[in-house]
Amino acid sequence: MPGISRRSLFIASAVGAVGAWVPTGSRPAVAASAAAAACTGSYRAEYHFTVPDQWMNDPQRPVWIDGEYRYYYLYNPDYSTGGTTAGTAWRLATSRDLVSFTDRGIAVPKDTTPNGDVWSGSAVIDTDNTGGFGAGAVIVLVTMAPGDVTQAQYLYYSTDGGRTFTNHGTAPVLPNPGVRDFRDPKVIRDEERGRWVMALAENDKVGFYHSADLKSWTYVGGFIKGGIGVLECPDLFRIRAADGTWKWVLGVSANGKGSGLPSTYAYWTGSFDGATFTPDLSDPQWLDHGWDWYAAVTFEKRDANGTLDPGARYAIGWMNHWDYAGTTPTMECDGFNGTDSIVREITLKRAADGTYHLASQPVAGLDDHVSRTVDLGDLEVNGSLLLDYTGTAYELTTEINWDRLTGAGLQLRRSSDGGRHIDAGIYGTYAFVNRGYTVSPDSSGRWQESRSPFDPSAGTVRLRILIDRTSIEMFVDDGRYVHSTEVFPDPADTGLALFTIDGTAVFRNTVIREFTVA
């Protein structure tokens, strides 16, 4: 964040956190109802990952060890009190299916050295003991900024499988060369060339660095992209499409709102020679078109035996945004602020024009947590249809078919009087999610409806929507376009309706699934 440190952001967002949440100012009726409904029920997600208490922000790329994923995230145990102890540590959770997680406590502590708290970075497994900490040691490269002044990269290591970490001294392994933004190291192993490669966020550039031992780094080049805000949390990986084509993917989290673009995960497909990334296209694509899928990371997909799938990766994002990070009823009502997206599986697909893109679908492990299925079959709608179903957390899938209409979709988390709801569907040439008719974290009223391209000539669209207590994630058709959005409906708003605009549509194979996650 230019002009403000993450530490001061944590403090500012925590101060007065109780009662700080506000709805969109453009709909006063919603505000009155929301205030009256405060804490009448829980806002903790039922099947999405949430921090046990206090504060969570950036996910850190999970690593696979002994049949499970070790997932780290930025955690501030002092969020509610703020003060000089504010700032983040790395907390650990483990999972075998990426749906059910077990909390393991703080792994990389904060404020144990003069360098202060620990920000984003990445963990790698040093199988060949290149760093000298032992074969199989888990090495974390992480940004720290002593005194909130100079960002540099530091090393922590673990010899117990990533459960606890020790600092490798207090000097940076990659000092700051004299720039303001110099953070979020993402490290991968370049097996072909026998070295480590780091991608680092440097304002409008992703810098590339080489190392033989993870302790000494050399700058070799960079990729520059302006016009989409400060680049953060870079990502770099190689993936194979179903047609056998391999592509390198460079991703960044970026705030493109000022340019009329998403504020999530931008990416380019292309080639990478170990030092230079060459994109297929100059402009990025976006892995999510909603408002709240930030600081996302992708990571390896492995089966129960540890076999790597070269044609897929997993991804997880923080369902919040720095524009309104402290604006949530969850702290007052449930004692926490921090929810992640569902883990999604991403694949590389070739479009009809020969270009390649990433497509997303919810992780398959959700299927093992289904506790109830409601099959509504085929439903014909002309105008609106209120369904005989209520719920605050579920998945809905449907295929909408039509001959002629302007728009169609669903009203989610609908109030009993119909005045509050979240709309999701298609209209004209775009798919959308609109949170402006319920309690929204965005008090400005500007960031309520997210949009992505849609071709109405097909006369059909498949929607898969994950609804939880404070979130909506809509996957359109094959998942090339996804909308992840934070919302705070009144816990009493549990209704569901279908609608069409200027025509009739059939909502085919409409199925609702509920989940139970221990």
Side-chain angles (χ1 to χ4, degrees):
M1 296 285 295
I4 186 169
S5 73
R6 293 192 188 188
R7 177 185 287 267
S8 59
L9 242 174
F10 299 145
I11 297 171
S13 59
V15 173
V18 175
W21 60 295
V22 292
T24 171
S26 61
R27 294 182 173 83
V30 176
S33 173
C39 298
T40 58
S42 176
Y43 285 87
R44 188 177 288 277
E46 291 193 17
Y47 62 96
H48 287 70
F49 181 83
T50 57
V51 65
D53 55 47
Q54 298 295 329
W55 166 275
M56 171 180 74
N57 58 301
D58 298 10
Q60 308 302 309
R61 185 183 61 201
V63 292
W64 194 91
I65 299 174
D66 296 335
E68 66 182 12
Y69 284 96
R70 309 265 162 105
Y71 168 48
Y72 306 95
Y73 57 91
L74 296 192
Y75 168 70
N76 179 13
D78 306 300
Y79 172 62
S80 59
T81 57
T84 58
T85 56
T88 50
W90 278 29
R91 191 159 181 160
L92 169 65
T94 59
S95 178
R96 293 186 180 275
D97 66 359
L98 296 173
V99 178
S100 178
F101 290 84
T102 301
D103 177 51
R104 303 295 184 185
I106 292 176
V108 184
K110 67 174 181 175
D111 299 327
T112 57
T113 78
N115 299 318
D117 59 330
V118 288
W119 297 4
S120 280
S122 57
V124 296
I125 301 172
D126 189 8
T127 304
D128 298 326
N129 192 25
T130 65
F133 301 101
V138 182
I139 309 298
V140 160
L141 278 298
V142 62
T143 300
M144 302 176 79
D148 286 336
V149 177
T150 303
Q151 301 169 13
Q153 317 320 313
Y154 296 78
L155 189 150
Y156 284 75
Y157 65 94
S158 170
T159 57
D160 63 359
R163 296 298 182 93
T164 61
F165 287 82
T166 302
N167 67 79
H168 175 57
T170 59
V173 294
L174 180 56
N176 190 301
V179 298
R180 181 182 61 182
D181 300 303
F182 195 70
R183 59 180 176 264
D184 307 339
K186 189 62 58 65
V187 177
I188 63 172
R189 182 66 181 171
D190 185 348
E191 295 291 358
E192 181 182 350
R193 300 169 183 87
R195 62 194 178 198
W196 298 96
V197 175
M198 176 194 292
L200 194 67
E202 304 175 26
N203 198 279
D204 63 351
K205 182 179 77 172
V206 176
F208 299 120
Y209 299 79
H210 289 168
S211 177
D213 60 5
L214 295 164
K215 295 181 291 188
S216 178
W217 294 88
T218 302
Y219 177 76
V220 295
F223 175 82
I224 297 174
K225 177 61 180 180
I228 57 174
V230 174
L231 309 183
E232 296 190 293
C233 303
D235 196 11
L236 181 65
F237 61 89
R238 194 169 180 245
I239 190 170
R240 187 179 68 196
D243 65 5
T245 299
W246 285 91
K247 289 287 184 181
W248 279 91
V249 177
L250 176 64
V252 294
S253 282
N255 187 344
K257 286 181 178 178
S259 302
L261 297 169
S263 184
T264 59
Y265 180 107
Y267 72 91
W268 296 260
T269 62
S271 60
F272 182 65
D273 64 5
T276 301
F277 179 82
T278 304
D280 295 330
L281 301 169
S282 60
D283 289 331
Q285 301 185 71
W286 297 82
L287 199 50
D288 198 292
H289 284 252
W291 301 120
D292 302 301
W293 202 69
Y294 199 75
V297 293
T298 70
F299 54 103
E300 295 175 340
K301 179 186 178 184
R302 293 184 180 270
D303 64 18
N305 298 317
T307 303
L308 178 67
D309 184 347
R313 287 177 73 84
Y314 291 126
I316 188 170
W318 178 46
M319 291 205 72
N320 206 336
H321 196 282
W322 287 117
D323 286 358
Y324 40 72
T327 305
T328 170
T330 61
M331 192 66 200
E332 178 182 6
C333 298
D334 299 280
F336 80 97
N337 182 352
T339 301
D340 280 339
S341 72
I342 206 71
V343 174
R344 60 183 65 167
E345 181 176 317
I346 62 171
T347 53
L348 180 66
K349 296 192 174 184
R350 185 179 187 273
D353 62 3
T355 60
Y356 287 83
H357 65 270
L358 298 177
S360 306
Q361 289 296 335
V363 65
L366 270 177
D367 295 342
D368 297 327
H369 294 272
V370 175
S371 57
R372 181 188 178 208
T373 300
V374 180
D375 191 343
L376 299 175
D378 297 346
L379 302 166
E380 184 173 298
V381 181
N382 186 340
S384 63
L385 176 64
L386 182 63
L387 301 183
D388 185 21
Y389 175 83
T390 58
T392 59
Y394 54 93
E395 172 201 79
L396 186 146
T397 55
T398 190
E399 181 180 290
I400 309 174
N401 294 268
W402 65 87
D403 289 325
R404 185 177 180 180
L405 53 66
T406 302
L410 304 94
Q411 289 187 341
L412 309 165
R413 300 296 305 272
R414 188 178 187 271
S415 62
S416 57
D417 64 1
R420 298 184 302 274
H421 44 82
I422 302 143
D423 294 349
I426 56 97
Y427 184 88
T429 58
Y430 59 86
F432 71 93
V433 172
N434 189 321
R435 63 185 179 184
Y437 298 95
T438 192
V439 182
S440 165
D442 172 40
S443 61
S444 74
R446 292 178 296 170
W447 316 117
Q448 307 294 19
E449 182 171 276
S450 59
R451 298 181 179 182
S452 63
F454 178 74
D455 181 3
S457 65
T460 183
V461 64
R462 296 186 306 278
L463 300 180
R464 183 176 182 181
I465 308 176
L466 304 182
I467 300 97
D468 214 331
R469 286 175 172 162
T470 61
S471 64
I472 300 293
E473 293 167 273
M474 181 174 75
F475 297 77
V476 182
D477 288 329
D478 69 350
R480 178 176 187 177
Y481 298 111
V482 186
H483 296 245
S484 298
T485 297
E486 185 182 40
V487 288
F488 304 126
D490 186 322
D493 292 350
T494 60
L496 173 63
L498 312 179
F499 69 84
T500 63
I501 301 171
D502 300 331
T504 299
V506 178
F507 291 68
R508 300 192 185 280
N509 301 316
T510 304
V511 176
I512 293 169
R513 301 196 302 176
E514 298 172 354
F515 306 103
T516 297
V517 178

